[in-house]
């Protein structure tokens, strides 16, 4: 047993002395022999990992990542919705108005989404027209009323026989006639 | 699927492709390219549209062109009747849009004729050229320099100027 360790240490010593000699190769590299650097397995893979010194792109990449995320968050559902509408529902076709039929206001549009918006969200163009006409009518009445008021003002001021511009006179009982009540005063 | 264009407004000239007489043993590259295009683009697109058409065949809806009633024009309105002014203005705007579309359609026909005839367009397209020239002159004289804030009143004033110029020129 002791002789074995002596032999092993002698082999290690011999290998250290002359590693190139044939019998001196380290059969088991686990024993305390020198490492063989001339017979290393070299594989040309991705190359040696280098540490490239460049300014940080963390913020730029984070920004682009977040931009992509938030744009696609609603972009993809909207795109899917529009594709499904165009494929499964499809656009309307032009037709002549049948006799005695009054089309609804959304039936004047082609695309199904436009029709839906016109039906559910917007008021009908007839209603918008009438709303505008109502506003114009109110303004017209206001304008006419203002003009007549000016005219009436002028007339009442000059003629004086109307209810406006009447100056209240004093009460008769307040007049003090004592200084002219007798002829000798 | 979108409808085809009006075949009377845009007539196609008779086809003049000669009968192909093959004189070489080599394959015709134009034919190869045409077949390639057909199988890679035309056929898939047509089958896709056919499939989509089958899906949409059940729920077909229609749309109509709206017909508006004629209302009294600006010249027939009483002074101070702003409601009449508004209705006349809206009618004038609809007519303006219609006239723009008419000019576009006539121009489109003239350009199609030009493209069809090629080098002999000045000779063969006289009808379309004359029609477009007339329509453009009329549009210019009526709506010409009214600008972005055009209105029925401004158009009426322009007409008045035109009539006055017409009265002055015979003198």
């Amino acid at each position: 047993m002791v002789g074995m360790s002596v032999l092993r240490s002698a082999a290690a010593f011999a290998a250290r002395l002359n590693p190139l000699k044939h019998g001196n190769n380290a059969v088991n590299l686990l024993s305390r022999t020198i490492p063989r650097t001339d017979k290393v397995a070299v594989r040309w893979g991705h190359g040696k990992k280098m540490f490239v010194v460049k300014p940080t792109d963390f913020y730029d990449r984070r920004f682009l990542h977040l931009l992509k995320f938030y744009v696609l968050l609603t972009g993809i559902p909207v795109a899917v919705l529009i594709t499904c509408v165009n494929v499964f529902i499809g656009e309307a076709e032009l037709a002549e108005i049948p006799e005695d039929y009054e089309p609804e206001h959304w039936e004047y549009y082609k695309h199904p989404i436009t029709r839906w918006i016109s039906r559910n969200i917007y008021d009908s163009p007839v209603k918008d027209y009438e709303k505008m006409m109502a506003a114009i009518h109110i303004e017209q009445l206001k304008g006419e009323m203002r003009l007549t008021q000016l005219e009436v003002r002028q007339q009442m001021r000059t003629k004086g026989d109307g209810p406006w511009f009447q100056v209240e006179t004093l009460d008769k009982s307040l007049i003090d006639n004592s200084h002219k009540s007798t002829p000798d005063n | 699927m979108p409808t085809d264009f009006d075949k009377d407004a845009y007539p196609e000239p008779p086809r003049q492709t000669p009968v192909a007489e093959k004189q070489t043993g080599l394959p015709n590259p134009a034919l190869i390219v045409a077949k390639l295009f057909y199988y890679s683009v035309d056929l898939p697109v047509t089958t896709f549209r056919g499939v989509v058409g089958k899906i949409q065949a059940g729920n077909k809806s229609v749309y109509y062109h709206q017909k508006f009633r004629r209302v009294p024009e600006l010249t027939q309105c009483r002074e101070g009747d702003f409601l009449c002014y508004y209705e006349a203005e809206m009618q004038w705007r609809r007519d303006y849009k219609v006239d723009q579309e008419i000019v576009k359609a006539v121009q489109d026909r003239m350009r199609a004729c030009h493209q069809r005839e090629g080098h002999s367009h000045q000779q063969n397209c006289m009808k379309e050229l004359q029609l477009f020239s007339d329509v453009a002159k009329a549009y210019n004289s009526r709506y010409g320099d009214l600008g972005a804030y055009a209105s029925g009143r401004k158009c009426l004033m322009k007409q008045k100027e035109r009539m006055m110029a017409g009265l002055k020129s015979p003198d």
Side-chain angles (χ1 to χ4, degrees), chain A residues 131-168:
Chain A
K131 282 190 311 207
M132 183 59 137
M133 297 252 274
I136 291 173
H137 185 61
I138 288 173
E139 291 299 313
Q140 182 178 342
L141 290 178
K142 271 159 70 175
E144 283 169 7
M145 203 171 287
R146 284 177 191 142
L147 281 173
T148 46
Q149 194 230 1
L150 281 174
E151 182 66 33
V152 160
R153 223 174 105 105
Q154 192 186 14
Q155 294 286 333
M156 287 213 197
R157 226 184 189 154
T158 50
K159 290 195 187 150
D161 60 353
W164 296 0
F165 302 107
Q166 298 291 338
V167 181
E168 291 296 329

Side-chain angles (χ1 to χ4, degrees), chain A residues 73-117:
Chain A
L73 188 64
T74 46
I76 289 186
V78 163
V80 165
L81 182 80
I82 293 179
T83 308
C84 286
V85 163
N86 280 335
V87 165
F88 293 109
I89 299 181
E91 292 183 342
E93 281 172 350
L94 188 55
E96 286 292 329
I97 302 178
E99 291 291 332
D100 300 333
Y101 176 63
E102 175 76 32
E104 303 283 342
H105 64 274
W106 67 82
E107 288 178 2
Y108 292 113
Y109 299 102
K110 192 164 61 162
H111 196 266
I113 295 182
T114 322
R115 282 166 82 106
W116 184 85
I117 292 172

Side-chain angles (χ1 to χ4, degrees), chain B residues 6-24:
Chain B
D6 184 14
K7 297 275 192 252
D8 296 320
Y10 301 95
E12 280 176 13
R15 305 199 61 155
Q16 293 171 335
T17 47
V19 177
E21 287 158 2
K22 262 189 90 137
Q23 288 173 334
T24 71

Side-chain angles (χ1 to χ4, degrees), chain A:
Chain A
M1 291 266 278
V2 179
M4 290 298 286
S5 72
V6 167
L7 275 173
R8 197 183 293 137
S9 50
F13 189 61
R16 195 178 288 279
L17 275 182
N18 201 349
L20 296 173
K21 275 270 166 59
H22 167 65
N24 288 342
N25 60 349
V27 169
N28 46 351
L29 287 166
L30 292 171
S31 64
R32 283 159 290 163
T33 52
I34 56 164
R36 305 300 308 273
T37 53
D38 57 338
K39 291 197 181 142
V40 167
V42 175
R43 296 192 179 90
W44 295 100
H46 287 276
K48 180 176 169 187
K49 261 179 86 70
M50 309 289 270
F51 181 78
V52 179
V53 181
K54 58 184 196 299
T56 178
D57 60 350
F58 170 74
Y59 299 100
D60 299 334
R61 280 182 34 235
R62 183 181 70 173
F63 169 71
L64 290 172
H65 175 79
L66 289 172
L67 183 74
K68 250 186 357 217
F69 175 70
Y70 283 108
V71 164
L72 292 179
L73 188 64
T74 46
I76 289 186
V78 163
V80 165
L81 182 80
I82 293 179
T83 308
C84 286
V85 163
N86 280 335
V87 165
F88 293 109
I89 299 181
E91 292 183 342
E93 281 172 350
L94 188 55
E96 286 292 329
I97 302 178
E99 291 291 332
D100 300 333
Y101 176 63
E102 175 76 32
E104 303 283 342
H105 64 274
W106 67 82
E107 288 178 2
Y108 292 113
Y109 299 102
K110 192 164 61 162
H111 196 266
I113 295 182
T114 322
R115 282 166 82 106
W116 184 85
I117 292 172
S118 173
R119 193 172 67 230
N120 296 92
I121 297 179
Y122 283 160
D123 283 329
S124 87
V126 176
K127 189 167 171 190
D128 281 338
Y129 195 83
E130 294 291 329
K131 282 190 311 207
M132 183 59 137
M133 297 252 274
I136 291 173
H137 185 61
I138 288 173
E139 291 299 313
Q140 182 178 342
L141 290 178
K142 271 159 70 175
E144 283 169 7
M145 203 171 287
R146 284 177 191 142
L147 281 173
T148 46
Q149 194 230 1
L150 281 174
E151 182 66 33
V152 160
R153 223 174 105 105
Q154 192 186 14
Q155 294 286 333
M156 287 213 197
R157 226 184 189 154
T158 50
K159 290 195 187 150
D161 60 353
W164 296 0
F165 302 107
Q166 298 291 338
V167 181
E168 291 296 329
T169 50
L170 282 174
D171 192 15
K172 256 198 317 198
S173 56
L174 290 171
I175 300 172
D176 178 23
N177 285 322
S178 59
H179 61 279
K180 48 183 181 180
S181 55
T182 51
D184 296 329
N185 251 354

